[in-house]
Amino acid sequence: MSILVDKNTRLLVQGITGNEGLFHTTQMVAYGTNVVGGITPGKGGEWVLEKIPVFDSVKAAKENTDANATIIFVPARFAPDAMFEAADAGIPLIICITEGVAIPDMMRVRNYLDQKNVRLIGPNCPGLLTPGEAKVGIIPGNIAIAGNVGVVSRSGTLTYEVLYAMKNLGMGASTCVGIGGDPVNGTNFVDVLQMFEDDPNTEKVIMIGEIGGNEEEKAAEFIRTKMTKPVASFIAGQTAPPGKRMGHAGAIIEGGSGTAADKIKALEAAGVKVAKHPEEIPTLLK
Amino acid sequence: MSILVDKNTRLLVQGITGNEGLFHTTQMVAYGTNVVGGITPGKGGEWVLEKIPVFDSVKAAKENTDANATIIFVPARFAPDAMFEAADAGIPLIICITEGVAIPDMMRVRNYLDQKNVRLIGPNCPGLLTPGEAKVGIIPGNIAIAGNVGVVSRSGTLTYEVLYAMKNLGMGASTCVGIGGDPVNGTNFVDVLQMFEDDPNTEKVIMIGEIGGNEEEKAAEFIRTKMTKPVASFIAGQTAPPGKRMGHAGAIIEGGSGTAADKIKALEAAGVKVAKHPEEIPTLLK
Amino acid sequence: MKLHEYQSKNIFSKYGIPIPKGRVAATAQEAKQIAEELGGRIVIKSQVLVGGRGKAGGVKLANNPAEAQQLAEQILALEIKGLPVRKVLVDEASAIDQEIYFAITNDRAAKKPVMIASAAGGIDIEEVAAKEPEKIIKIHIDPLLGLREYQARDVAVGIDLPREYWKDFTKIAMALWNVYKETDATLAEINPLVITKEKKLIALDGKMMIDDNALFRQPELAEMRDTDEEVPAEIEARKYGLSYIKLDGNIGCMVNGAGLAMTSMDVIKLFGGEPANFLDVGGGADAKKVAAAMRIILTDKNVEAVLFNIFGGITRCDEVAKGILVAMDEVKPKVPMVVRLVGTNAEEGRKLLENANMITAETLADAAKKAVEAAKKGK
Amino acid sequence: MKLHEYQSKNIFSKYGIPIPKGRVAATAQEAKQIAEELGGRIVIKSQVLVGGRGKAGGVKLANNPAEAQQLAEQILALEIKGLPVRKVLVDEASAIDQEIYFAITNDRAAKKPVMIASAAGGIDIEEVAAKEPEKIIKIHIDPLLGLREYQARDVAVGIDLPREYWKDFTKIAMALWNVYKETDATLAEINPLVITKEKKLIALDGKMMIDDNALFRQPELAEMRDTDEEVPAEIEARKYGLSYIKLDGNIGCMVNGAGLAMTSMDVIKLFGGEPANFLDVGGGADAKKVAAAMRIILTDKNVEAVLFNIFGGITRCDEVAKGILVAMDEVKPKVPMVVRLVGTNAEEGRKLLENANMITAETLADAAKKAVEAAKKGK
């Protein structure tokens, strides 16, 4: 068992013939992910890796492959349209890897997708990995082993650090979910924590946060009130300089929250063990 | 019993201090409608008819009066905003009397309201009348008596003709619903027919249509397949010249449908008796 | 409000849609000058706000400026479906490989804007739609979100547009959406959108309609209205917020509400008469409006009787009665008048009209019968 | 990207928001000329992209052109929070009755734009927000529908704006929404929006931030970037799509991914070092980017050791290794380098670096420790 993706995932790749799309499709297929089709407008009818059909639109791909998930590798300026297209085609799970999507676009995407009952992971995220079943994203497959620890993270490569440290300790992951670090995105910590709480194969959870926003604080509240499974955490950015200030408005909206110290305090108050460096996290769950 | 409005309706009037708003508020109150408040931005704190408080916003009015319906009398260019405001304030039933609202605005309003589970009647409609209980609109109260015939109409004054003819025959209405004649509006024939079908106090239904669009054809299909109660109808516009053509696109979208002859044919095929002139309709249900 | 082809195409061009080089001319001499500037083969196109210009001889091809002048002269002398041609568009001619139909309009049933496209564009598009509906692509647009590029591509795929044109087509579609949205159009139509022999997409013809109810925020477009193309009585009616359409019958009608106005016409016909017009005085008609309405009805020489059918709601019958009195005083009508007032303030209205020389009626059927009879007697 | 006050206010004005008369000047002489044109009392405001100008003496009131020249001279000689003042805005002075705070920004938690307003505007607004949050009004905007007028009125009601100003305030709010939306702003702030003694609403000060990720479709705004206000290394970094922030420590870092970059800094600190910078080479970093990153790090004279921490995902370790080799060849660094490569193509990457003179590490903790040690040894 796992969450979000597994052996039954039938994946589309939007931007499959691009550099990154093709590289990571190759990696995903090598891992055993069931990539059923790809989309590159203007290249419909071609084939990728000799067995994956390319379509001109997500709609055509969905009709021909009965896909139930899609991963997006298109450039930032086209990514919003790709997300709209996937949602309109009725794909229930969208993973957007692309980084650099404009915030105004993401606000529109998120508000539109919320009406459609579509789950979005990302953008600017490493995607999903259910070790041994499906790799839907760019997390290197060989750095994680299957197990019973759910991992959720706002960061990309920092997540790899943690998975790698887990593996070195012989600790496996049920599913690793990279939700991405953008200010406006799809799935958040609380959504994933709820899924891990409900997943019988997940026994413990690692949550990797960073400075900015207040998603970690909300997660702490959720853990304190709703979660029965143990959670360990790490918050990146203790030494980071304060980010660009959004005028007075930023201070008014975000209030005093958002620092690493605040987040660590909230998490520890919720009974979460917080590590000093990423390689320490798995040891806290031993 | 009745549909949509009755003695328990707690009504707000948007544009209550305007000419039309004030005139019809007076008429509605005289009829016995429970008008609990009005809205005119900039006139909050004033009173109308010595007992109806005026508020600056629908939100304030809702909070202070616990209103469950609102009627809109503001000029066409402000009507879309008035509908958005009412929907956002959580009013579940909006009746918009205003005529001349632009179609692009109404497409946005309708698509937004559909997300919010808000019922809109109109715009460009005479509103609702449940004889003896509530008059929410501009239908003259004295032309209808209470009874068991549900009336639904796309037209304004033509509806009055029919109610008046009914009264002259001693036939009463459960509720009369003027849905308005605009190309893009809120509630349609099928919605109201379903409500009448479900209303134990409605035994028969009169439906008054006109040329253009295909709502009457859809209603005919609904009557044929879903309705058990007898329906009589009249379709206005048999001698009308063809309307302004919307280029080729209009013909392509609307196809051949929309003429009075088409609509009458569809209704008769569904077992509906169709009158030759409006005063004849009630006699068809005797 | 309809826009002329040249007006529509100028708007298209402003939004980045390629159109042929050309300009509008009011005289044959001007047409010649434009043809000289353009060089090469020229199309002369009558600018009238009706369809079927081509079949009426209102579109011609000229090989040189002299010919352009001669053909412009012919076309400017035409009358198409009753409308005299006052302007011609002088465009450079294009060598056409394929004609595509492409439009954005509002789909009232879906409550959404819709893109319509077909590989079989040109003048027979309606026939294609009727006989081979599978050749027509329709894609709805979310009015809150607007057109998305993938939808424009879906249209290109749907009409089997060769791939080399997808990018340009998508740009044109996005531009046409901006035209439609920003002008409050109810129709923005390119027919044909052509692929030229030089492998370019060009909007050869354009048609736009603007929502009259949105003109308050489109002052520039409102000024484009070509009143030369309208019946003077209809212009006059619009000035007063009346909705008037002239017909061929002998019984003038003034009614409040479009539905009741149509019904009144239907009932006149049912009792053997012929309506002379459609006239809706609208909701809340005041004395001034009613007086204007009466003047407009009576300018029609065919009118032999007038039927007033007012059922008061927003409209108050006493206000209508006042308007009738003002107008009678001013116009001094010689035809019989049948009046029926019911509803809001009907009593007061009837009292006001007591001393006017008018036939009164209780029901609509009764009123229609009396009007038909009165018209016959008058002869 | 931050805009200057004068740039923001020019944009406001273009959208119909009233601003004081005035212009920007680069010299005291120019400031005097502008003051002469304007007449009356004058405000001289330093144009730097940091807050706290007033407290730093960067905003002064002048009674006449001569005084304006003198004060401009003083202000143009200032350095505010490390930034030299290069321009001043010369505005006519307003007689102020009330200062209002009004802004539109994005609320990441709500995933929506939000209007923020307070009757207690001015420089102490953050203190108001912290101590008297009830004095701050926040109203969210549906990003698909846009700001609706009634919401703007709700703001006016919420800040107890006198009724006579509701209409003008609503216009300003709708205009500011258009500014925010059409410029892809993340912040459009008017502070203060003042009611003048002449009973007018005027945007006395303005601040805007544009989403860097949207600049591709805002070419005019992108050109407004004032690179004079930025650290040269950060400009250079942006050119290569790198995210670089200079810090005060001695250990340079090059990491892929913002989270891992911050973590690497945290771990350096944990083991007794001080990071010299934040540098995220981003996803899919190629050799060119990596070489640029190394050059940028090494321009910082404080750097005594460099830590490369690359965990391959989109980024391929072999590409990174190639970049390091190119850069080493070019820059010939004299400080010790600790490199750690894990993940996609890590093996190939390590092989490429085998013959380069670099310290390698297995874990991040190990790498950080080695870098801290190497820096110490180097002294």
Side-chain angles (χ1 to χ4, degrees), chain D residues 130-186:
Chain D
K131 292 192 185 156
E132 299 168 284
E134 72 284 355
K135 288 200 177 165
I136 307 274
I137 296 288
K138 295 175 200 166
I139 292 181
H140 286 99
I141 299 167
D142 184 315
L144 300 176
L145 200 53
L147 178 62
R148 278 146 284 169
E149 275 190 30
Y150 89 83
Q151 296 182 301
R153 278 199 312 268
D154 281 356
V155 171
V157 174
I159 60 171
D160 284 325
L161 192 70
R163 286 185 176 178
E164 54 193 301
Y165 300 107
W166 286 11
K167 222 174 197 169
D168 285 345
F169 179 81
T170 302
K171 272 189 204 154
I172 289 171
M174 297 305 289
L176 194 69
W177 165 252
N178 287 333
V179 166
Y180 171 89
K181 189 183 60 174
E182 291 175 15
T183 63
D184 283 306
T186 51

Side-chain angles (χ1 to χ4, degrees), chain A:
Chain A
M1 279 276 300
S2 56
I3 66 169
L4 293 164
V5 292
D6 58 21
K7 283 190 159 46
N8 299 314
T9 298
R10 299 174 57 77
L11 186 70
L12 296 177
V13 179
Q14 289 174 258
I16 194 167
T17 60
N19 251 352
E20 297 304 330
L22 190 54
F23 176 80
H24 289 291
T25 298
T26 311
Q27 300 273 320
M28 290 190 288
V29 169
Y31 195 82
T33 308
N34 187 13
V35 177
V36 297
I39 295 97
T40 298
K43 301 209 169 169
E46 298 186 6
W47 296 81
V48 154
L49 304 181
E50 287 168 18
K51 58 182 177 181
I52 302 170
V54 179
F55 300 91
D56 286 318
S57 70
V58 179
K59 189 163 162 262
K62 169 92 159 74
E63 280 165 7
N64 283 284
T65 64
D66 200 25
N68 56 16
T70 184
I71 186 163
I72 294 174
F73 284 104
V74 306
R77 64 182 73 183
F78 306 116
D81 201 56
M83 290 183 260
F84 286 128
E85 182 177 3
D88 287 347
I91 308 285
L93 177 62
I94 302 171
I95 297 97
C96 184
I97 304 301
T98 309
E99 70 173 283
V101 180
I103 293 175
D105 293 343
M106 272 317 298
M107 290 196 290
R108 282 187 283 270
V109 167
R110 174 65 198 266
N111 279 270
Y112 184 74
L113 264 55
D114 282 354
Q115 297 162 26
K116 293 246 164 185
N117 204 21
V118 170
R119 177 160 296 287
L120 170 68
I121 311 279
N124 188 19
C125 81
L128 305 167
L129 178 66
T130 294
E133 298 202 33
K135 167 175 139 84
V136 177
I138 61 174
I139 302 173
N142 59 349
I143 60 168
I145 55 175
N148 60 12
V149 179
V151 179
V152 58
S153 173
R154 266 172 74 187
S155 176
T157 45
L158 175 53
T159 316
Y160 311 166
E161 283 290 354
V162 176
L163 288 172
Y164 191 59
M166 285 168 65
K167 182 182 173 187
N168 288 342
L169 283 174
M171 183 183 282
S174 54
T175 299
C176 174
V177 183
I179 61 174
D182 276 5
V184 177
N185 64 0
T187 299
N188 60 30
F189 278 134
V190 170
D191 298 329
V192 180
L193 291 174
Q194 180 72 63
M195 289 184 243
F196 281 139
E197 177 70 10
D198 295 341
D199 175 35
N201 200 44
T202 298
E203 290 177 14
K204 306 164 188 177
V205 176
I206 288 174
M207 184 183 109
I208 304 157
E210 60 186 45
I211 50 168
N214 63 356
E215 292 297 325
E216 289 80 2
E217 286 84 343
K218 285 190 206 161
E221 179 62 15
F222 178 82
I223 292 165
R224 196 175 63 76
T225 56
K226 304 271 170 65
M227 273 194 83
T228 61
K229 299 178 182 178
V231 181
S233 183
F234 175 76
I235 303 295
Q238 289 170 266
T239 56
K244 281 183 197 161
R245 287 278 311 287
M246 298 275 282
H248 297 294
I252 295 169
I253 282 293
E254 311 244 319
S257 76
T259 68
D262 285 338
K263 291 174 190 294
I264 291 170
K265 197 174 146 193
L267 286 165
E268 287 182 338
V272 175
K273 288 184 186 164
V274 182
K276 288 201 178 57
H277 64 89
E279 288 145 341
E280 189 197 8
I281 312 178
T283 64
L284 301 178
L285 288 177
K286 272 284 175 178

Side-chain angles (χ1 to χ4, degrees), chain C residues 166-239:
Chain C
W166 285 11
K167 221 172 198 172
D168 285 346
F169 178 81
T170 302
K171 272 189 205 155
I172 289 171
M174 297 306 289
L176 194 68
W177 165 252
N178 287 333
V179 166
Y180 172 88
K181 190 182 59 173
E182 292 175 15
T183 63
D184 282 307
T186 51
L187 174 74
E189 186 178 72
I190 307 177
N191 185 34
L193 173 67
V194 302
I195 303 180
T196 65
K197 298 262 184 235
E198 297 84 28
K199 308 272 173 201
K200 301 257 179 232
L201 283 172
I202 293 191
L204 221 56
D205 198 349
K207 189 176 284 175
M208 286 182 66
M209 291 179 73
I210 311 297
D211 188 346
D212 284 323
N213 287 331
L215 287 177
F216 71 89
R217 62 183 171 218
Q218 301 286 358
E220 283 178 30
L221 293 174
E223 276 178 22
M224 288 187 192
R225 190 188 288 277
D226 188 351
T227 46
D228 285 349
E229 299 275 307
E230 297 179 69
V231 180
E234 291 179 8
I235 300 170
E236 181 73 5
R238 197 177 45 245
K239 218 190 290 170

Side-chain angles (χ1 to χ4, degrees), chain B residues 20 23-24 77 97 99-105 107-108 110-112 115 138 140 143 154-155 157-158 160-161 164 183-185 210-211 213-214 218 234-241 244-249 251-254 276-279, chain C residues 101 105-109 111-114 116 125-126 129 136 138 143-144 180 184 186-187 189 191 207 209 211-214 216-217 245 247 256-257 259-260 262-263 265-267 269-270 283 309 311-314 316 340 342 344 363-365:
Chain B
E20 298 303 331
F23 176 80
H24 288 291
R77 64 182 74 182
I97 304 300
E99 69 174 285
V101 181
I103 294 175
D105 293 342
M107 290 196 289
R108 282 188 282 269
R110 174 64 198 265
N111 279 269
Y112 183 75
Q115 297 163 25
I138 62 174
I143 61 169
R154 266 172 73 187
S155 176
T157 45
L158 174 54
Y160 310 167
E161 284 290 354
Y164 191 59
V184 177
N185 63 1
E210 59 185 46
I211 50 168
N214 63 356
K218 285 190 206 160
F234 174 76
I235 302 295
Q238 289 169 266
T239 56
K244 281 182 197 161
R245 286 279 312 285
M246 298 275 284
H248 297 295
I252 294 169
I253 282 293
E254 312 245 320
K276 287 200 180 56
H277 63 89
E279 289 145 341
Chain C
Y101 177 87
T105 187
N106 47 296
D107 182 349
R108 57 191 286 170
K111 323 285 185 197
K112 284 186 168 75
V114 62
I116 308 170
I125 183 69
E126 284 182 41
I136 308 275
K138 295 176 201 167
L144 300 177
Y180 172 88
D184 282 307
T186 51
L187 174 74
E189 186 178 72
N191 185 34
K207 189 176 284 175
M209 291 179 73
D211 188 346
D212 284 323
N213 287 331
F216 71 89
R217 62 183 171 218
I245 301 168
L247 299 171
N256 64 326
L260 190 56
M262 287 193 291
T263 302
M265 288 156 54
D266 292 349
V267 177
K269 174 107 178 172
L270 186 67
N309 184 26
F311 212 121
I314 278 191
R316 302 177 210 167
R340 173 176 177 257
V342 200
T344 308
T363 68
L364 170 55

Side-chain angles (χ1 to χ4, degrees), chain C residues 29-344:
Chain C
Q29 182 57 34
E30 267 184 83
K32 188 188 164 202
Q33 272 171 26
I34 298 168
E36 277 165 357
E37 287 167 29
L38 293 173
R41 298 212 312 160
I42 296 294
V43 195
I44 316 284
K45 304 171 90 176
S46 53
Q47 300 294 292
V48 282
L49 294 176
V50 289
R53 293 177 304 175
K55 284 172 190 159
V59 180
K60 299 278 186 193
L61 206 62
N63 287 302
N64 54 56
E67 210 179 323
Q69 180 173 20
Q70 186 194 340
L71 290 170
E73 186 118 26
Q74 285 173 20
I75 292 174
L76 284 164
L78 285 179
E79 192 169 276
I80 300 179
K81 292 186 186 166
L83 290 171
V85 178
R86 290 185 168 89
K87 290 177 199 143
V88 290
L89 177 60
V90 185
D91 266 359
E92 66 177 2
S94 302
I96 299 169
D97 235 17
Q98 192 191 336
E99 296 193 331
I100 293 160
Y101 177 87
F102 185 52
I104 302 178
T105 187
N106 47 296
D107 182 349
R108 57 191 286 170
K111 323 285 185 197
K112 284 186 168 75
V114 62
M115 284 187 293
I116 308 170
S118 176
I123 54 168
D124 296 324
I125 183 69
E126 284 182 41
E127 207 175 304
V128 172
K131 292 191 184 154
E132 299 168 284
E134 73 284 356
K135 287 199 178 166
I136 308 275
I137 296 288
K138 295 176 201 167
I139 293 181
H140 286 99
I141 299 167
D142 185 314
L144 300 177
L145 200 53
L147 178 62
R148 279 147 283 170
E149 276 191 30
Y150 88 83
Q151 296 182 300
R153 278 200 311 268
D154 280 356
V155 171
V157 174
I159 61 171
D160 284 325
L161 192 70
R163 288 186 174 176
E164 53 192 299
Y165 299 108
W166 285 11
K167 221 172 198 172
D168 285 346
F169 178 81
T170 302
K171 272 189 205 155
I172 289 171
M174 297 306 289
L176 194 68
W177 165 252
N178 287 333
V179 166
Y180 172 88
K181 190 182 59 173
E182 292 175 15
T183 63
D184 282 307
T186 51
L187 174 74
E189 186 178 72
I190 307 177
N191 185 34
L193 173 67
V194 302
I195 303 180
T196 65
K197 298 262 184 235
E198 297 84 28
K199 308 272 173 201
K200 301 257 179 232
L201 283 172
I202 293 191
L204 221 56
D205 198 349
K207 189 176 284 175
M208 286 182 66
M209 291 179 73
I210 311 297
D211 188 346
D212 284 323
N213 287 331
L215 287 177
F216 71 89
R217 62 183 171 218
Q218 301 286 358
E220 283 178 30
L221 293 174
E223 276 178 22
M224 288 187 192
R225 190 188 288 277
D226 188 351
T227 46
D228 285 349
E229 299 275 307
E230 297 179 69
V231 180
E234 291 179 8
I235 300 170
E236 181 73 5
R238 197 177 45 245
K239 218 190 290 170
Y240 288 92
L242 306 166
S243 182
Y244 172 84
I245 301 168
K246 198 196 161 320
L247 299 171
D248 296 330
N250 59 337
I251 298 178
C253 341
M254 184 181 97
V255 188
N256 64 326
L260 190 56
M262 287 193 291
T263 302
S264 302
M265 288 156 54
D266 292 349
V267 177
I268 286 168
K269 174 107 178 172
L270 186 67
F271 290 106
E274 284 291 341
N277 63 273
F278 168 92
L279 193 154
D280 172 13
V281 289
D286 58 15
K288 228 168 107 188
K289 260 171 114 173
V290 170
M294 189 143 117
R295 280 197 308 272
I296 289 163
I297 291 170
L298 291 172
T299 53
D300 178 355
K301 301 295 171 227
N302 296 334
V303 168
E304 293 169 341
V306 179
L307 167 62
F308 297 90
N309 184 26
I310 302 295
F311 212 121
I314 278 191
T315 306
R316 302 177 210 167
C317 292
D318 54 340
E319 278 285 332
V320 172
K322 277 181 209 159
I324 293 175
L325 288 177
V326 168
M328 285 184 70
D329 201 45
E330 184 190 316
V331 187
K332 310 229 187 299
K334 292 185 186 67
V335 298
M337 322 269 271
V338 181
V339 66
R340 173 176 177 257
L341 299 177
V342 200
T344 308

